[in-house]
Amino acid sequence: MRQLFRLNEIVEKKELAPRIKEIKVYNPRIAAKARAGQFVIVKVGEEGERIPLTIADWDREKGLITIVFQEVGVSTYKLGRLGVGDVITDVVGPLGNPSEIEKFGTVVCVGGGVGIAAIYPMAKELKKAGNRVISIIGARNKDLLIYEEEMRRVSDELRITTDDGSKGRKGFVSDELRDLLNSGLKVDRVIAVGPAIMMKTCADVTRPFNVKTIVSLNSLMLCGMGMCGACRVEVGGKTRFVCVDGPDFDAHQVNFDVLIKRLNAYKAEEQLALKRFLEVKA
Amino acid sequence: MPVKDRVEMRKLPVEKRIRSFEEVALGYTEEEAIQEAKRCLQCPPRPCVQGCPVGIEIPRFIKKIAEGDFLSAYKIIKERNAIPAITGRVCPQEHQCEGVCVLNKLKKPTAIGALERFVADWALKEGVAKELAEKEIANRPSNGNIKVAVVGSGPAGITVAADLAKLGYEVTMFEALHKPGGVLMYGIPEFRLPKRIVEYEIDYLRRLGVDIETNVLIGRTYTIKDLLEDGYKAVFLGTGAGTPKFPGIPGETLVNIYSANEFLTRVNLMKAYLFPQYDTPIKIGKRVAVIGGGNVAMDAARTAVRLGAEEVYILYRRTEEEMPARREEVINAKEEGVKFQLLTQPIRFIGNKDDILTGIECIRMQLGEPDATGRRKPIPVPGSEFIFEADTAIIAIGAHPNPLIARTTPEIKVDEEGRVITDSELRTSMKRVYAAGDIVLGEATVIEAMGTGRRASQTIHRDISEGRI
Ligand SMILES: Cc1cc2nc3c(=O)[nH]c(=O)nc-3n(C[C@H](O)[C@H](O)[C@H](O)COP(=O)(O)OP(=O)(O)OC[C@H]3O[C@@H](n4cnc5c(N)ncnc54)[C@H](O)[C@@H]3O)c2cc1C
Ligand SMILES: Cc1cc2nc3c(=O)[nH]c(=O)nc-3n(C[C@H](O)[C@H](O)[C@H](O)COP(=O)(O)OP(=O)(O)OC[C@H]3O[C@@H](n4cnc5c(N)ncnc54)[C@H](O)[C@@H]3O)c2cc1C
Ligand code: SF4
Ligand code: FES
């Protein structure tokens, strides 16, 4: 059979929101193995950096994986400039442990920003496993809200929040989560994916209710295979590697302050690199 | 007759070294090599041959150098060692061949490593290496399309892939990173092992017909079972001991604390020293503390010097005597201004309000009785705690095997340290799966990875040709 695409070729590309893009990449070996909660490491070009991105969806038959990313710095901008027919230099995966998917009962899936694309496969699998899935998704404003339809399809109930109130409830996803728990509904598990500060807040919200809460950590990474320790975080007082021990962890055990501080380690360098990148390309 | 002094290799001047990643040791000229080769006594007991983990016929090749017959010398080395340009540069000769050389009684052993390197470089330069390689490639027998998978592209994997390809097997090599070479590529810096030499060996593998697939993490992209079911007759594991150890003390997740693997990978593999032309950044402070006393620690310290750190310290809990690093690299490090803070053990990392490292609380040590390895055991001196100021720390206290394969393939038995257990012929507990190098030995050396790799490839060949698997 004639091979339709080259390995790591971008087959489809969509702009979901300003600066948020979705691409489908041909990589049958990753598509064959991908499971909810796993990610890939991508490198664009010889000079590129290795960055982790969640596998938002996959099509085992066509050999495609879906990645949704937000352009925040040089590496994601570089990826964003590639178009259909371009080949991503390096893609390795699926990395990390798949999320725990079982019949828990009622599960609340909370997604913030691009984290919605990351929670989507989890919600989908949890639904398939027979759970009642209540999803809460949120963004800064209605234009930045992605995957609403996708999430609606895999949830028994979908709630939306925006920081500015342009869609759904005005406020944060964590506010909606708090109200839901306060309403007395029996929740067996909460899964939250999004910016570190959002996951931290969700952990704080669920703690008094004693609901098992899982977060998918987004630490800085280099190797993605347990070889460098760049991704290390403190969980339950111990040093753990997000790429091989996670990315999912018990939210109530995670030291989010460490995570957040480590995410900012290269702030100055990142800004310098982005400025230079945008100037050169302009 | 008094024994002449060793001919020392010329080195790049220190001022030039500390601002570049150019190779430090410059190698011998032909005259120097001949002169040094003539110092070998050709002593009948030949202890050096036993001292060499792969049993190179050392006096034979040295004799050929003394006669000016470098081609024969090269062929003799290649009988036993596939990558002499690499081992000549990185072997701990003082613990191996040179350590047992009879002339070492006078502290003037034959410079076997330097001679090996000379011959290998000569062969590369004269194109002889390529010519011989082409002959091997042309004369490759066919082996009925039997497929073998090699996992990991470090020295163990390189050896097994080359051996089996030469025997006519169809070899596919899987590497998780985007570039093959293992530690030779991501760990050992350019100034000690130029990457063009590693690339030459990888290129040779390709020309031997080895199919190298990067970006494949075995255990995730494919499992070992997948490979066995996918038509590979045997699977060789050479995945190394790449997972860094952390001391398990408070503060080790602070910003600007690196494992040596992360630090060196950023610089070697990702070329962070060329940031922002390359996208991967690295932080280098004014005062850098490297914790550990092995090759990895020396490499990290010397790399930090080259990246422009003002002061670089090695913090080591024993004395220089016990340091496992190659002697030559300790000397190089000192010449380049690295300072040694010995008998010092970190007990806590200290950060500022933003969790950025500012210092390390340490305790002084003293040496007690020898331990199992024969080295004197360091014991803390009570009440001797002090703060060592540092804005960057690099942890080089060792590594252990990556747990991924064991976690995803329970059939493969590992010991309590995570090392794959094999029989004396390098078979693992899973049928048709073999292993060698650091994944079996724990942190060892390039030559031991090659030596065990050679034995594993022989076992694989025997098991296949005798119909055992
Ligand atoms: C397991 C995992 C899965 C991820 N999945 C996705 C995904 O599906 N989609 C997506 O858009 N992003 C995802 N991320 C985050 C993504 O890796 C980063 O956005 C990316 O590395 C940024 O690279 P850059 O060079 O473009 O930006 P940089 O120049 O590195 O950073 C620019 C800005 O982004 C912030 N930033 C950098 N890295 C991260 C990070 N890991 N998390 C949060 N903020 C960061 C920086 O603090 C800085 O403010 C994931 C991260 C992990 C660890
Ligand atoms: C900084 C440093 C300096 C050193 N200096 C010296 C020295 O001077 N002299 C000396 O003799 N020794 C030295 N060593 C030790 C030496 O490099 C190792 O003993 C040797 O490289 C081990 O070889 P290996 O083939 O077993 O594994 P490695 O060289 O570690 O190669 C293993 C390869 O397997 C890959 N891999 C791992 N898991 C998977 C997987 N699941 N799927 C696919 N691929 C995988 C890794 O990415 C890696 O490329 C040094 C080590 C380091 C880190
Ligand atoms: S032990 Fe030393 S002197 Fe004797 S043969 Fe070997 S290199 Fe030469
Ligand atoms: S990213 Fe290297 S160990 Fe996790």
Side-chain angles (χ1 to χ4, degrees):
Chain A
M1 197 179 74
R2 200 173 69 95
Q3 199 176 313
L4 291 176
F5 305 110
R6 288 166 296 164
L7 188 69
N8 301 336
E9 181 172 333
I10 299 179
V11 173
E12 267 180 61
K13 180 176 175 181
K14 248 198 278 182
E15 184 155 317
L16 300 180
R19 308 248 76 93
I20 301 181
K21 292 184 172 144
E22 176 191 78
I23 51 175
K24 290 197 167 109
V25 180
Y26 180 73
N27 189 315
R29 61 195 186 197
I30 299 178
K33 278 285 154 70
R35 288 168 62 189
Q38 292 188 301
F39 61 95
V40 289
I41 284 210
V42 167
K43 175 174 165 288
V44 180
E46 157 67 19
E47 291 105 10
E49 183 180 23
R50 297 170 62 96
I51 59 160
L53 296 167
T54 306
I55 306 171
D57 206 352
W58 52 88
D59 182 332
R60 300 205 205 280
E61 248 155 58
K62 295 198 182 121
L64 300 180
I65 55 169
T66 303
I67 296 170
V68 176
F69 61 97
Q70 181 166 26
E71 294 174 345
V72 292
V74 170
S75 304
T76 42
Y77 267 88
K78 275 191 178 173
L79 186 61
R81 299 221 169 163
L82 298 184
V84 171
D86 288 336
V87 167
I88 303 174
T89 324
D90 297 282
V91 184
V92 56
L95 304 176
N97 297 307
S99 300
E100 214 183 347
I101 305 289
E102 272 174 40
K103 186 164 178 191
F104 300 108
T106 300
V107 182
V108 179
C109 293
V110 189
V114 272
I116 303 173
I119 200 122
Y120 167 69
M122 300 183 190
K124 186 161 98 178
E125 296 302 314
L126 286 164
K127 175 84 185 134
K128 257 195 230 161
N131 293 284
R132 173 173 153 77
V133 174
I134 302 176
S135 298
I136 305 173
I137 60 174
R140 284 212 307 279
N141 60 51
K142 71 173 192 321
D143 296 331
L144 290 173
L145 191 75
I146 59 166
Y147 266 46
E148 185 186 335
E149 279 323 303
E150 283 83 350
M151 287 303 289
R152 198 180 302 284
R153 248 185 284 133
V154 300
S155 312
D156 292 283
E157 200 185 320
L158 180 70
R159 302 183 178 203
I160 293 171
T161 71
T162 48
D163 298 4
D164 66 355
S166 51
K167 182 156 198 176
R169 169 191 180 143
K170 181 172 173 1
F172 300 126
V173 282
S174 47
D175 299 329
E176 189 64 25
L177 177 64
R178 185 181 298 107
D179 289 355
L180 189 79
L181 292 171
N182 273 331
S183 75
L185 182 82
K186 183 176 168 295
V187 172
D188 299 290
R189 183 174 277 233
V190 171
I191 303 174
V193 188
I197 185 70
M198 173 216 119
M199 294 190 282
K200 180 184 157 124
T201 314
C202 289
D204 291 340
V205 165
T206 61
R207 193 173 283 115
F209 293 92
N210 238 331
V211 180
K212 174 96 168 179
T213 303
I214 304 293
V215 283
S216 175
L217 299 186
N218 59 344
S219 56
L220 298 183
M221 287 192 183
L222 178 61
C223 72
M225 58 181 276
M227 181 273 268
C228 72
C231 62
R232 67 193 188 280
V233 287
E234 196 185 303
V235 181
K238 288 208 174 64
T239 299
R240 307 290 300 273
F241 291 1
V242 172
C243 67
V244 287
D245 299 325
D248 291 2
F249 290 99
D250 180 342
H252 298 150
Q253 302 287 320
V254 173
N255 184 334
F256 283 100
D257 296 338
V258 166
L259 175 72
I260 291 168
K261 298 243 163 86
R262 287 186 66 83
L263 274 173
N264 289 326
Y266 294 100
K267 199 124 221 168
E269 286 79 6
E270 286 158 359
Q271 279 163 2
L272 171 76
L274 183 61
K275 190 163 164 271
R276 181 179 168 276
F277 177 78
L278 294 175
E279 274 166 8
V280 170
K281 296 282 156 164
Chain B
M1 195 177 69
V3 173
K4 286 204 190 104
D5 285 337
R6 273 160 73 110
V7 179
E8 292 302 332
M9 252 194 286
R10 285 159 303 120
K11 292 200 259 185
L12 208 63
V14 171
E15 325 78 74
K16 247 185 121 176
R17 277 193 228 166
I18 58 174
R19 287 292 171 262
S20 87
F21 282 81
E22 264 173 74
E23 189 173 18
V24 167
L26 299 175
Y28 282 153
T29 61
E30 296 190 1
E31 295 70 33
E32 286 167 338
I34 293 173
Q35 197 190 331
E36 178 61 22
K38 286 185 174 156
R39 285 180 62 242
C40 167
L41 304 178
Q42 296 292 321
C43 63
R46 314 197 310 168
C48 51
V49 181
Q50 265 84 59
C52 173
V54 295
I56 297 176
E57 297 271 326
I58 292 167
R60 260 179 70 214
F61 94 74
I62 293 185
K63 186 148 181 273
K64 290 297 176 192
I65 300 180
E67 292 166 3
D69 179 1
F70 306 140
L71 177 61
S72 300
Y74 180 67
K75 287 184 180 164
I76 293 166
I77 296 175
K78 285 289 272 189
E79 286 166 15
R80 292 282 176 166
N81 178 346
I83 49 175
I86 295 174
T87 52
R89 286 174 165 80
V90 304
C91 269
Q93 289 93 0
E94 67 273 27
H95 299 305
Q96 301 175 4
C97 52
E98 294 180 17
V100 292
C101 170
V102 292
L103 292 173
N104 195 29
K105 296 203 177 78
L106 305 161
K107 298 264 176 270
K108 294 176 185 176
T110 310
I112 303 169
L115 289 171
E116 179 185 38
R117 168 187 164 153
F118 164 77
V119 174
D121 285 359
W122 173 87
L124 283 177
K125 192 178 77 205
E126 298 293 317
V128 173
K130 196 157 180 178
E131 226 174 273
L132 290 178
E134 295 303 344
K135 255 192 219 149
E136 280 173 343
I137 293 164
N139 295 335
R140 201 162 86 89
S142 158
N143 215 329
N145 303 334
I146 300 176
K147 296 204 299 175
V148 177
V150 169
V151 183
S153 61
I158 291 176
T159 306
V160 172
D163 284 356
L164 293 178
K166 279 190 223 160
L167 287 166
Y169 293 96
E170 286 193 11
V171 182
T172 308
M173 178 183 250
F174 296 102
E175 167 58 49
L177 292 170
H178 58 271
K179 262 194 196 147
V183 169
L184 305 176
M185 207 66 196
Y186 75 72
I188 304 180
E190 177 78 17
F191 55 81
R192 209 148 70 74
L193 177 64
K195 297 303 155 238
R196 62 178 161 79
I197 294 174
V198 185
E199 275 156 10
Y200 175 86
E201 295 304 336
I202 298 291
D203 188 46
Y204 167 63
L205 282 186
R206 288 211 173 91
R207 285 185 296 137
L208 267 178
V210 175
D211 181 16
I212 304 178
E213 295 225 27
T214 51
N215 294 323
V216 175
L217 180 63
I218 299 300
R220 292 274 185 234
T221 318
Y222 305 119
T223 60
I224 291 172
K225 260 214 198 85
D226 292 338
L227 297 177
L228 291 172
E229 284 166 11
D230 199 31
Y232 290 99
K233 190 87 183 170
V235 174
F236 170 78
L237 299 178
T239 49
T243 298
K245 288 185 186 153
F246 284 90
I249 59 178
E252 66 190 18
T253 48
L254 290 172
V255 175
N256 296 345
I257 302 179
Y258 290 97
S259 76
N261 267 4
E262 181 186 351
F263 188 77
L264 291 168
T265 300
R266 279 181 187 272
V267 177
N268 296 327
L269 187 69
M270 307 310 297
K271 302 210 169 73
Y273 60 96
L274 296 176
F275 179 87
Q277 185 202 328
Y278 278 72
D279 296 338
T280 306
I282 194 157
K283 288 267 193 193
I284 189 76
K286 291 200 168 75
R287 207 171 133 96
V288 178
V290 179
I291 297 156
N295 284 318
V296 185
M298 297 307 139
D299 284 346
R302 297 173 66 199
T303 299
V305 168
R306 284 163 175 76
L307 292 175
E310 282 170 19
E311 288 180 288
V312 179
Y313 287 84
I314 292 275
L315 269 48
Y316 182 54
R317 63 195 177 122
R318 310 186 202 228
T319 70
E320 211 178 305
E321 255 330 79
E322 290 83 20
M323 276 194 178
R326 292 179 83 221
R327 191 73 217 127
E328 193 183 329
E329 309 313 338
V330 175
I331 295 169
N332 283 332
K334 283 190 179 163
E335 286 175 358
E336 290 161 15
V338 174
K339 292 172 205 148
F340 287 66
Q341 177 84 30
L342 302 166
L343 290 167
T344 300
Q345 168 101 310
I347 50 178
R348 179 170 68 99
F349 293 104
I350 303 162
N352 65 12
K353 65 168 184 7
D354 292 321
D355 274 358
I356 295 170
L357 181 76
T358 56
I360 308 171
E361 183 172 349
C362 299
I363 188 161
R364 298 247 183 251
M365 308 295 274
Q366 61 189 22
L367 291 185
E369 296 297 308
D371 65 8
T373 64
R375 292 186 305 175
R376 292 178 64 196
K377 219 180 136 136
I379 355 186
V381 179
S384 66
E385 293 84 353
F386 66 102
I387 307 276
F388 187 90
E389 269 175 46
D391 51 17
T392 307
I394 303 168
I395 299 173
I397 58 168
H400 48 83
N402 194 308
L404 186 62
I405 297 244
R407 276 188 204 164
T408 53
T409 319
E411 293 90 332
I412 296 178
K413 297 266 172 312
V414 298
D415 67 11
E416 69 287 353
E417 305 268 334
R419 289 174 297 212
V420 170
I421 298 172
T422 65
D423 68 9
S424 59
E425 292 176 291
L426 286 321
R427 296 181 187 93
T428 70
S429 55
M430 187 175 186
K431 207 166 155 72
R432 291 158 62 197
V433 181
Y434 304 77
D438 279 7
I439 183 78
V440 172
L441 303 166
E443 281 178 286
T445 57
V446 171
I447 193 73
E448 288 169 295
M450 289 175 47
T452 52
R454 166 69 39 95
R455 277 173 36 222
S457 62
Q458 287 166 348
T459 306
I460 294 171
H461 180 47
R462 250 186 291 117
D463 282 359
I464 293 178
S465 47
E466 293 169 12
R468 256 194 299 278
I469 61 170

